[in-house]
Amino acid sequence: MPVQAQIRVLYGDTDAMGQAYYGNYLKWFEVGRAEWFRARGMSYREVESRGVFLPVVEAHCSYRKPAFYDDILYIATSFEFAGPARLKFEYEITRDGDVLTTGYTVHVCVSKDRKVLKPPDYLKALLEPNHETIR
Amino acid sequence: MPVQAQIRVLYGDTDAMGQAYYGNYLKWFEVGRAEWFRARGMSYREVESRGVFLPVVEAHCSYRKPAFYDDILYIATSFEFAGPARLKFEYEITRDGDVLTTGYTVHVCVSKDRKVLKPPDYLKALLEPNHETIR
Amino acid sequence: MPVQAQIRVLYGDTDAMGQAYYGNYLKWFEVGRAEWFRARGMSYREVESRGVFLPVVEAHCSYRKPAFYDDILYIATSFEFAGPARLKFEYEITRDGDVLTTGYTVHVCVSKDRKVLKPPDYLKALLEPNHETIR
Amino acid sequence: MPVQAQIRVLYGDTDAMGQAYYGNYLKWFEVGRAEWFRARGMSYREVESRGVFLPVVEAHCSYRKPAFYDDILYIATSFEFAGPARLKFEYEITRDGDVLTTGYTVHVCVSKDRKVLKPPDYLKALLEPNHETIR
């Protein structure tokens, strides 16, 4: 089940074409991702404070329709593993039920000194909440 | 032949992980694209002033190594058609010869009122400079 | 009475010093200002759609304490005239009751072609809601 | 003597009013400040690597004329002390000799753990290059 978040498009997010600048969607994906973690019971801030960082290694965005100043956008975020230490988040941004943008980001799990790690247990418990029950 | 551009990473481009925030690369791709147009003899500002807009419909970014505050980054930009009214730009961002990030953007050619257009002659002449000589 | 708004600090808002980048506060002032208009009964988008624009002519920010990633910040916005066609908004940004930043912006009232205007009646009614009752 | 820097306005820097968004000028002040340090012989990155940080405590911006997409802007930066541990930088942003924006930032000198410091000798030598000769 995707986790929902919402943002409002600022004047500073728009560009001279009169629509939201394409680079801002990656920031809005971040909003979705942060709410996904919070909905699973631990903020990404807390994840980092326990010693794991999740830098982005890949990002993709498909722009179908523009977003405009003052629009409220809904960001639906879902998760799947893309490898043992690779996390993939998928995003769908809508306005009034209309899909404007879809995309994904892929993250690796690293320690503070940037060594790749397998997700530690506290993180695994977030990412695979039903894992124990399935087994 | 890719066109070269360069930027310097600002403090405002970095994030609390101590590296350039992932969303900024789309802005740096824009720098590369703008210089590509200029190198072909017409700025993107001039392209727009003649009535054609090139909104992004797809963007992709692969992050291999982080960029840090005050780094000088080189952006190599090349172009190919991805359909009659679809333009694809490819980017490679390096620091001291080391590839940090690669990516691409796909653009459609539209009029001011957002109708899809085939690129008009002045734009085609930029995008396919050798077209006439080949024929 | 100030109007309240709230934002959450994104990773993309932070910098390598580990705190929110100083330029972002002007964006958060915009959030406060937008909610001020909405609370008075007309969004700034609606103000513009009726033909009046309010570009910023002056901005000031005093930074007392830093904001950090994932903080929830509260923005209290109040308004006063700074001249017949000059609008002044004042902002106070707090976290858990602690004042982090204060500032103001001054705006002029212009038409679409950038001619300075006295605020038209629909805008005056927003800016001076008690004007008629006072008279 | 002010130090000169230059930037080009990106599409991502503009807003739906068709001009550069007001928050971006603080970023461009940063560009000016960074070049000021470099011109004095030590980059701000190097200043930080030696243990001193210069967070902003005050910022001011006066917007006289708008900047537009693809404009080349010149940033002239000068410095004066505003107290023993307070640094003030002043900025003037011009386009073709026309002043668009002026402003200043005030910084305090702090250690990594945010204790206020008097500028150490290596920093003083940058900030007061003629000090010894005057004595």
Side-chain angles (χ1 to χ4, degrees), chain B residues 36-49:
Chain B
W36 186 92
F37 276 98
R38 220 182 307 281
R40 287 289 173 105
M42 190 186 289
S43 69
Y44 179 67
R45 172 155 70 174
E46 175 71 10
V47 169
E48 281 203 351
S49 75

Side-chain angles (χ1 to χ4, degrees), chain C residues 60, chain D residues 1-2 29 32-33 36-37 40 54-61 76-91 102-109 119 123 126-128:
Chain C
H60 188 87
Chain D
M1 279 272 295
F29 288 175
R33 209 156 61 232
W36 186 92
F37 277 97
R40 287 288 174 105
L54 300 171
V56 182
V57 292
E58 205 182 322
H60 188 87
C61 201
T77 304
S78 50
F79 168 78
E80 61 181 26
F81 274 103
R86 289 176 84 83
L87 286 60
K88 184 177 185 185
F89 291 93
E90 292 189 319
Y91 313 92
T102 58
Y104 63 82
T105 55
V106 180
H107 304 249
V108 284
C109 187
L123 182 55
L126 282 181
L127 299 172
E128 303 177 306

